[in-house]
Amino acid sequence: MKLKLMAATAAIALSAAAAQANTLVYCSEGSPEGFDPALFTAGTTFDASSHPIYNRLLEFETGTTNVIPGLAESVEASDDGLEYTFKLRQGVKFHSNDEFTPTRDFNADDVIFSFMRQKDEGHPFNQVSGGTWEYFQGMGMPDLVESIEKVDDYTVKFTLTKPEAPFVANMAMDFASILSAEYADAMMAAGTPEKLNTAPIGTGPFSFVAYQKDAVIRYAQNADYWKDPADVENLIFAITPDASVRYQKLKAGECHIMPYPNPADIQAMKDDGDINMMEQEGLNVGYLAYNTTMEPFDNPNVRKALNMAIDKNAIIDVVFQGSGQVAKNPIPPTMWGYNDAITDDAYDPEAAKAALEAEGVSDLSMKIWAMPVQRPYNPNARRMAELIQADFAKVGVDVEIVSYEWGEYLSRSKELNRDGAVLLGWTGDNGDPDNFLAVLLGCDGREASNRAQWCHEPFEDLILKAKQTTDQAERTKLYEDAQVVFKEQAPWATIAHSVVYMPMSNKVQGYKVHPLGGHIFYGVSVE
């Protein structure tokens, strides 16, 4: 293992030295779950797949939540909000690899394939590579999308069963990336359909070259990109889970950009004349999700009692070191629809202990899951878990901290019978409250994006009503009411919202901190 990692590091250094101006090296924080973004939810995966390799019908303008044309030049909605007709861009080329050379340009067949494999349980690709489709399921898309019709080669019509206010923004999300139906057919015929996930083909600014697990991902500039080609010829992800090692590589010139610095290193980075430290309020939330299907966590009074035992201010001081703020709601305060009138659970260990006793809970033992990688909403999950462990011990609750490799952590934590409470979080995908409240807490997301396995009818009614009106004032009131219900029921302990810091070499030009959390290297150059 050591030899493999040393070899990978040496190769990265040689590549960077050989073509410094034409190569961008990103020290990423972890390995992707795979390269088919519809199958997964982690930002680590989207950074390595949907952003460099693929496009969507619609896109988010980098650095904003504005929706702009992508593979669709335009979209037209019917007056009743049930039909969306996409006019597709012509002349868009797919990548090729050693096993596949496309014989045609992107067209409507690729759109139909990319979505129907997620919707149709009988589709040949529905179960390939696990077939979890976590976003598609969690957003209620199987029931929402009645049909997807190919009007002609460059026109596709989506018909919905009911109005869905966030639908246009949702179509710019990572899960909606467009894959090649022709490549899928070729790989199915070859008996290797999983190569859609392991050897990806897209239309994006970079084509996939190679992946050495837990070490390096290599991409090449797509010279045939339908926009202008990327500003660098080579893009390298040097997978470096330790933030201190990422910092050393940045200082040594072995990488140009790194995410998620240790909070303790931020001031030194700001003082370093060779480093440009960018920062932005994160559209995120970090939380502890109880499994609300398991005793005693199926009791909201128990959950609220545990929430009162958590000293969130201490977590902000120790874990975030000034780079975060206490979270009282499941959506960030920078998002419209935020209910600032909510009162947070007070930190009161004595009251927490009394409340547990009143519910007949004593000698409780539980697990807290701590993620193995840094995330924008949690720079050190292990340390956070240790602080919560100490807080719970004060009220008589014994905690065992567990963790798993990142992909396994995400997979296991979705299970309906998962034990204990899991530390996770979310960065908004589209700037809409629905993306937090429905995806993370709606009934459709159970056993998928809803890690609390929580389905509560009064909450569900509010978020479903909010989806079906385009009146933002009405939607705002419904989301405010939903946050009241959330606070009463406490499926999570809301922990923190963070500031996102992005340190990079002063040689890097054109990088924009993206409010939706992605690290996007199209339009970025190295002097």
Side-chain angles (χ1 to χ4, degrees):
M1 177 62 70
K2 183 178 180 182
L3 179 63
K4 182 173 78 172
L5 294 177
M6 287 175 64
T9 302
I12 292 164
L14 285 170
S15 295
Q20 185 73 26
N22 289 318
T23 298
L24 176 65
V25 182
Y26 170 63
C27 277
S28 69
E29 78 284 5
S31 298
E33 303 155 278
F35 293 92
D36 182 346
L39 290 167
F40 308 110
T41 62
T44 314
T45 298
F46 297 155
D47 290 340
S49 62
S50 47
H51 301 315
I53 298 171
Y54 301 104
N55 294 112
R56 288 140 294 284
L57 294 176
L58 305 172
E59 307 271 356
F60 292 109
E61 181 183 13
T62 303
T64 79
T65 58
N66 298 332
V67 177
I68 59 175
L71 293 179
E73 293 181 323
S74 66
V75 57
E76 183 177 326
S78 62
D79 291 341
D80 60 6
L82 296 179
E83 293 183 354
Y84 290 82
T85 302
F86 293 86
K87 293 291 185 181
L88 306 184
R89 194 177 300 276
Q90 299 188 32
V92 176
K93 310 293 183 186
F94 277 102
H95 308 151
S96 60
N97 59 24
D98 290 343
E99 297 180 70
F100 174 75
T101 299
T103 65
R104 62 166 177 79
D105 292 346
F106 155 78
N107 67 25
D109 292 335
D110 304 305
V111 178
I112 302 293
F113 166 77
S114 298
F115 288 99
M116 288 306 295
R117 69 192 180 121
Q118 301 181 62
K119 175 177 170 57
D120 180 7
E121 293 182 358
H123 193 282
F125 273 83
N126 183 258
Q127 295 300 312
V128 170
S129 299
T132 52
W133 317 122
E134 191 167 331
Y135 269 103
F136 197 83
Q137 297 288 338
M139 296 165 69
M141 286 282 190
D143 294 329
L144 174 68
V145 178
E146 182 174 286
S147 64
I148 309 172
E149 176 187 351
K150 176 182 175 179
V151 178
D152 58 44
D153 280 349
Y154 292 97
T155 309
V156 175
K157 182 171 71 174
F158 285 70
T159 301
L160 309 185
T161 58
K162 57 190 176 184
E164 178 88 353
F167 181 75
V168 167
N170 289 346
M171 295 300 283
M173 288 169 53
D174 301 88
F175 85 95
S177 295
I178 303 300
L179 279 64
S180 166
E182 186 184 19
Y183 181 48
D185 289 343
M187 292 303 98
M188 184 65 81
T192 56
E194 70 282 353
K195 287 201 172 179
L196 265 70
N197 183 39
T198 61
I201 292 286
T203 60
F206 295 96
S207 59
F208 175 84
V209 175
Y211 172 44
Q212 184 177 357
K213 185 172 171 56
D214 299 330
V216 62
I217 314 170
R218 298 179 182 279
Y219 309 86
Q221 177 198 71
N222 175 11
D224 294 325
Y225 192 41
W226 54 274
K227 298 183 187 179
D228 292 333
D231 291 327
V232 292
E233 293 177 2
N234 304 290
L235 174 63
I236 295 173
F237 278 36
I239 299 168
T240 314
D242 189 302
S244 297
V245 177
R246 292 199 295 273
Y247 183 19
Q248 292 303 314
K249 286 184 175 182
L250 181 65
K251 289 198 293 184
E254 293 180 28
C255 64
H256 300 110
I257 304 174
M258 63 163 282
Y260 317 130
N262 285 324
D265 293 332
I266 288 172
Q267 190 56 52
M269 291 177 172
K270 289 181 176 180
D271 294 340
D272 189 331
D274 293 328
I275 293 176
N276 175 22
M277 173 66 86
M278 303 182 76
E279 64 181 90
Q280 181 173 284
E281 288 285 339
L283 196 71
N284 61 43
V285 63
Y287 59 83
L288 178 72
Y290 304 105
N291 186 341
T292 61
T293 69
M294 308 284 281
E295 292 183 351
F297 310 110
D298 57 343
N299 182 343
N301 293 330
V302 171
R303 302 192 298 259
K304 286 186 72 67
L306 291 172
N307 286 357
M308 286 193 293
I310 300 173
D311 186 351
K312 292 195 279 192
N313 285 316
I315 290 174
I316 296 298
D317 290 342
V318 174
V319 176
F320 290 86
Q321 299 185 31
S323 63
Q325 61 176 298
V326 166
K328 64 181 181 179
N329 289 328
I331 66 174
T334 51
M335 174 170 276
W336 65 269
Y338 182 82
N339 189 344
D340 198 34
I342 295 284
T343 300
D344 201 11
D345 299 307
Y347 170 56
D348 191 337
E350 290 303 317
K353 190 173 184 179
L356 288 173
E357 290 173 354
E359 298 302 318
V361 176
S362 60
D363 300 321
L364 175 62
S365 295
M366 64 180 290
K367 292 179 180 177
I368 290 181
W369 295 38
M371 68 196 82
V373 296
Q374 288 177 288
R375 306 306 306 138
Y377 45 76
N378 192 335
N380 190 335
R382 181 78 192 192
R383 187 72 183 103
M384 186 182 292
E386 290 169 350
L387 292 171
I388 297 173
Q389 180 185 47
D391 286 339
F392 282 2
K394 294 174 185 175
V395 299
V397 177
D398 182 60
V399 168
E400 177 190 356
I401 299 172
V402 298
S403 190
Y404 303 93
E405 180 272 329
W406 185 218
E408 186 178 1
Y409 185 97
L410 291 168
S411 177
R412 283 182 175 229
S413 62
K414 291 186 291 189
E415 295 172 358
L416 190 63
N417 63 350
R418 184 208 75 232
D419 54 5
V422 60
L423 283 170
L424 264 175
W426 197 256
T427 298
D429 292 291
N430 60 13
D432 195 294
D434 174 80
N435 182 244
F436 286 78
L437 300 178
V439 174
L440 301 181
L441 294 158
C443 297
D444 286 331
R446 294 179 71 192
E447 297 187 73
S449 49
N450 181 344
R451 294 311 206 277
Q453 311 295 359
W454 186 60
C455 180
H456 185 64
E457 190 172 333
F459 181 89
E460 186 78 2
D461 288 347
L462 290 166
I463 61 172
L464 289 178
K465 287 177 183 175
K467 284 176 181 281
Q468 294 178 42
T469 176
T470 56
D471 185 320
Q472 187 158 320
E474 184 179 348
R475 294 187 76 207
T476 296
K477 179 63 169 62
L478 290 165
Y479 288 136
E480 288 174 346
D481 291 346
Q483 288 163 78
V484 172
V485 176
F486 168 88
K487 205 65 183 178
E488 291 170 349
Q489 293 294 311
W492 300 348
T494 50
I495 304 294
H497 309 291
S498 75
V499 175
V500 175
Y501 292 95
M502 283 298 298
M504 63 196 71
S505 165
N506 277 337
K507 296 178 180 179
V508 174
Q509 303 294 317
Y511 184 88
K512 296 178 181 178
V513 178
H514 196 49
L516 302 178
H519 301 111
I520 300 169
F521 303 110
Y522 178 68
V524 179
S525 61
V526 180
E527 289 183 344

